[in-house]
Amino acid sequence: MKFAGPLVAVFALAACNAGGGSSSVPGTTGGQSSPQMRSGVPDWQARHLATRACADVRGTGRAQCEVLVQNAGPMSPDVAGWGPADLQARYKLPSSTKGGGVKVAIVDAYDNPNVAKDLAAYRTNFGLGTAKFFKYNQTGQQSNYPSGSTGWGVEIDLDVQMVSAVCPKCTIDLIEANSSNTSDLEAAEAEAVTLGAHIVSNSWICYGSVNCDDPTKFNTPGVMYLAASGDNGYNDNGAPEALASVVSVGGTVLSKSGSKYNESAWNGAGSGCATGITKPAWQHDKSCTSRTDADVSALAWQAAEYDTYGNGGWFTVGGTSVASPIIAGVYGLAGNAANQHAGKKLWNLKNRSLKLNDITTGSNGSCGGSYLCTAGPGYDGPTGWGTPLGIQAF
């Protein structure tokens, strides 16, 4: 197997990581040598650092899962990449005490028949305890699941594991749509609400289309909807993340030196003006007359994942599909989803520097240095208002 140099130094047997241990990569940016784009192509594509788990279905009217499998290859039985201890420490999360009674729903397409045992293995490795996990089809049955898809299976495992990483006490409902047709995914969205979800996370997108989804399926009062902002960099957005009723979640690259963590904008993170979507009254940036994304961000590169359906165990993944379920878990810890509406609180937040990590370096494209693609103090497109610093912002 071929591994990136920084990964080799941190391989550790899974048993050594039990009890909440970290599998992080101190002092590196996980393979992203520069926060800048190369000729308008995200680094993961230009340098062949990762491969899409799901085929590109742009223009077909179908949704695409966003997880990127990093090309270091399977690592089983070893573990590398950022784990729960890193996320909880970097984002100063009360993961050991909060989240009980909160239901976070994950909506994905197709079936991963191994998801329950893969989640159990992930949580055992990191000392997270037994999950409160339930799996449904799009009509709410705990049987008659759709046909399997190894690509979407990677996404499914990632999503439930990232919620677990930051909110191990949250209840996780997985609703599997019959297919990646948006009508099936919308049925699954509705079923998530019927099953009592407080928060719904979506790690899929219709690239290039803000009209592929029915916005009423992502706008239930008292329910928080989140979606990954995309992995193709600046000005390639789409539904559901572009909808004004959905929190658009951008991405960062994490590094560590000693005990100190740092983040920069991930150059694949989606951002820009969602032309065709009316700008929400609570957004007040000046260079976009439509809905601006993203709203907030989290880790989107080199996360540890365990999957036995399409892969051989442990490997590392990237994409804003890592970030969306992380932020969903943070909202789970905050426990007040019923009082939220999309990104309104994030955009109107006071004393923001005490509640979010402001990400000020990196870019995800060419926009003349504008905040729409260039990280800087305050709001910027790739990272939104920043990453969690506790749960007060949520």
Side-chain angles (χ1 to χ4, degrees):
M1 293 182 289
K2 183 179 180 181
F3 298 102
L7 294 177
V8 176
V10 298
F11 283 174
L13 290 178
C16 296
N17 285 322
S22 167
S23 58
S24 62
V25 189
T28 85
T29 56
Q32 180 177 297
S33 61
S34 167
Q36 301 302 316
M37 297 281 282
R38 296 186 177 199
S39 302
V41 178
D43 218 21
W44 70 265
Q45 290 180 305
R47 297 176 58 201
H48 308 290
L49 299 175
T51 304
R52 297 186 192 277
C54 296
D56 190 339
V57 293
R58 182 189 298 270
T60 65
R62 305 180 71 152
Q64 180 175 324
C65 85
E66 298 186 69
V67 61
L68 305 174
V69 178
Q70 294 187 245
N71 290 335
M75 300 167 187
S76 182
D78 299 321
V79 185
W82 301 109
D86 300 298
L87 297 174
Q88 294 173 23
R90 166 56 179 167
Y91 299 140
K92 300 188 183 304
L93 300 176
S95 300
S96 63
T97 59
K98 300 288 187 179
V102 178
K103 184 173 287 192
V104 178
I106 298 295
V107 171
D108 279 315
Y110 304 106
D111 180 40
N112 180 336
N114 296 355
V115 59
K117 71 176 185 179
D118 287 349
L119 177 59
Y122 180 91
R123 291 178 66 112
T124 296
N125 180 75
F126 291 114
L128 300 177
T130 303
K132 295 180 180 178
F133 172 70
F134 303 91
K135 173 180 164 180
Y136 302 91
N137 67 14
Q138 72 179 47
T139 62
Q141 295 177 307
Q142 292 187 290
S143 59
N144 300 317
Y145 298 113
S147 59
S149 164
T150 54
W152 279 87
V154 174
E155 184 66 75
I156 289 169
D157 271 339
L158 171 63
D159 289 348
V160 299
Q161 289 169 22
M162 291 304 101
V163 175
S164 292
V166 298
C167 191
K169 293 183 179 295
C170 283
T171 298
I172 302 173
D173 282 358
L174 168 65
I175 298 91
E176 295 182 332
N178 289 343
S179 76
S180 59
N181 288 327
T182 54
S183 58
D184 285 331
L185 287 161
E186 288 166 2
E189 295 287 327
E191 187 58 37
V193 174
T194 298
L195 292 167
H198 302 104
I199 301 154
V200 185
S201 179
N202 303 279
S203 291
W204 49 271
I205 191 171
C206 296
Y207 279 118
S209 173
V210 297
N211 300 311
C212 68
D213 291 313
D214 179 354
T216 65
K217 303 298 184 183
F218 301 84
N219 195 19
T220 303
V223 178
M224 281 294 292
Y225 293 89
L226 300 91
S229 71
D231 300 335
N232 291 342
Y234 172 61
N235 208 26
D236 195 10
N237 44 26
E241 63 87 20
L243 300 176
S245 58
V246 175
V247 175
S248 176
V249 184
T252 64
V253 173
L254 185 63
S255 62
K256 186 180 183 184
S257 179
S259 60
K260 184 179 180 181
Y261 293 92
N262 290 289
E263 287 176 279
S264 61
W266 179 54
N267 56 37
S271 72
C273 292
T275 303
I277 301 294
T278 300
K279 193 171 193 66
W282 38 264
Q283 281 197 326
H284 40 74
D285 60 306
K286 297 180 179 179
S287 296
C288 177
T289 57
S290 304
R291 194 268 200 260
T292 310
D293 51 15
D295 300 309
V296 69
S297 57
L299 173 73
W301 193 246
Q302 203 170 297
E305 178 178 350
Y306 185 80
D307 172 74
T308 61
Y309 183 43
N311 293 274
W314 291 102
F315 55 104
T316 57
V317 291
T320 54
S321 60
V322 180
S324 183
I326 288 174
I327 296 297
V330 175
Y331 275 110
L333 295 174
N336 62 353
N339 299 322
Q340 302 270 1
H341 178 70
K344 182 177 181 179
K345 181 177 180 180
L346 293 166
W347 281 78
N348 292 331
L349 200 62
K350 296 180 179 179
N351 298 318
R352 187 175 283 110
S353 64
L354 302 177
K355 301 171 184 177
L356 291 167
N357 297 303
D358 190 8
I359 311 304
T360 60
T361 60
S363 173
N364 69 345
S366 178
C367 60
S370 163
Y371 70 88
L372 293 173
C373 77
T374 307
Y379 178 80
D380 60 76
T383 70
W385 287 105
T387 63
L389 180 59
I391 59 175
Q392 292 186 71
F394 301 88

